[in-house]
């Protein structure tokens, strides 16, 4: 017969998780925030107004996934890319008009992006098309000059004779 770990038995007896001294573990700290449609995005619906609460370790990608599920969003036909069917891949989250990385958690967003730590306002919108950055004609995509090293010119690419 397999025995249950002692911590599990104590948790089941008490009805709540506890530390080594039997004290109840506190819930994960939460952050309140408002999730709104970006004013610049007219072709997306607004969520119901209200404050949301989530663990402060929740990532921006999960916030976007929540918006997708609540609004039943579908990818606009003009934005659809082959091989990418996840609607979240087409959305971006903003805080104070700055795009937030999908891996960033709510605590980090509040600390580094929010103007007021008490009221976190996040906006969602369709991803904006990224402008193509043109490279100078003398460089390839890796930043190498046609001579083979970064920033080298024909004059500086000499080998010393010994």
């Amino acid at each position: 017969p397999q025995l249950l770990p002692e911590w599990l038995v104590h948790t089941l007896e008490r009805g709540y998780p506890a530390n080594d001294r039997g004290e109840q573990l506190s819930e994960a700290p939460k952050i309140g925030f408002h999730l709104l449609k970006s004013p610049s995005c007219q072709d997306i619906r607004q969520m119901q107004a209200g404050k949301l609460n989530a663990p402060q370790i929740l990532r921006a990608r999960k916030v976007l996934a929540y918006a997708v599920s609540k609004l039943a969003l579908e990818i606009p036909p003009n934005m659809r890319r082959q091989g990418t069917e996840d609607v979240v891949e087409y959305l971006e989250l903003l805080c104070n008009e700055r795009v937030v990385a999908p891996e960033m958690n709510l605590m980090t967003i509040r600390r580094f992006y929010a103007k007021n730590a008490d009221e976190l306002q996040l906006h969602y919108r369709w991803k904006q098309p990224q402008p193509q950055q043109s490279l100078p004609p003398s460089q390839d995509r890796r930043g190498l000059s046609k001579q083979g090293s970064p920033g080298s010119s024909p004059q500086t690419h000499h080998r010393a004779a010994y």
Side-chain angles (χ1 to χ4, degrees):
Q2 189 170 358
L3 297 176
L4 294 174
E6 191 173 328
W7 64 267
L8 180 57
V9 173
H10 291 302
T11 298
L12 293 172
E13 288 173 347
R14 289 186 191 103
Y16 57 85
N19 63 17
D20 294 339
R21 296 182 301 278
E23 300 164 341
Q24 186 171 358
L25 295 178
S26 61
E27 251 187 71
K30 294 192 176 193
I31 289 181
F33 63 97
H34 296 275
L35 185 59
L36 308 165
K37 171 184 90 158
S38 174
S40 66
C41 193
Q42 301 304 320
D43 59 345
I44 198 168
R45 293 195 317 264
Q46 172 66 49
M47 292 189 61
Q48 283 186 334
K51 191 171 185 177
L52 300 169
N53 288 304
Q56 62 185 13
I57 60 168
L58 189 72
R59 300 203 183 271
R61 173 178 290 288
K62 291 289 189 179
V63 174
L64 289 173
Y66 175 79
V68 166
S69 70
K70 288 297 179 188
L71 298 172
L73 293 177
E74 293 184 15
I75 304 164
N78 62 332
M79 292 181 72
R80 192 172 293 274
R81 295 186 310 260
Q82 187 150 356
T84 307
E85 295 302 316
D86 187 6
V87 181
V88 174
E89 294 295 323
Y90 293 88
L91 290 172
E92 55 191 5
L93 194 65
L94 297 99
C95 183
N96 286 329
E97 299 181 26
R98 293 170 55 194
V99 176
V100 173
E103 304 81 34
M104 198 172 282
N105 65 42
L106 291 174
M107 179 176 52
T108 306
I109 295 168
R110 182 176 70 183
R111 183 166 183 202
F112 293 106
Y113 288 81
K115 290 179 185 174
N116 181 356
D118 297 334
E119 281 297 314
L120 183 60
Q121 285 202 358
L122 302 174
H123 292 90
Y124 55 92
R125 70 178 182 196
W126 296 115
K127 280 187 180 175
Q128 304 297 306
Q130 298 297 319
Q132 292 291 336
Q133 293 183 356
S134 58
L135 296 171
S138 64
Q139 292 187 340
D140 69 7
R141 295 210 178 276
R142 296 169 297 175
L144 299 175
S145 71
K146 291 185 179 179
Q147 303 302 321
S149 62
S152 67
S153 66
Q155 292 81 16
T156 61
H157 199 62
H158 294 285
R159 182 167 266 195
Y162 291 98

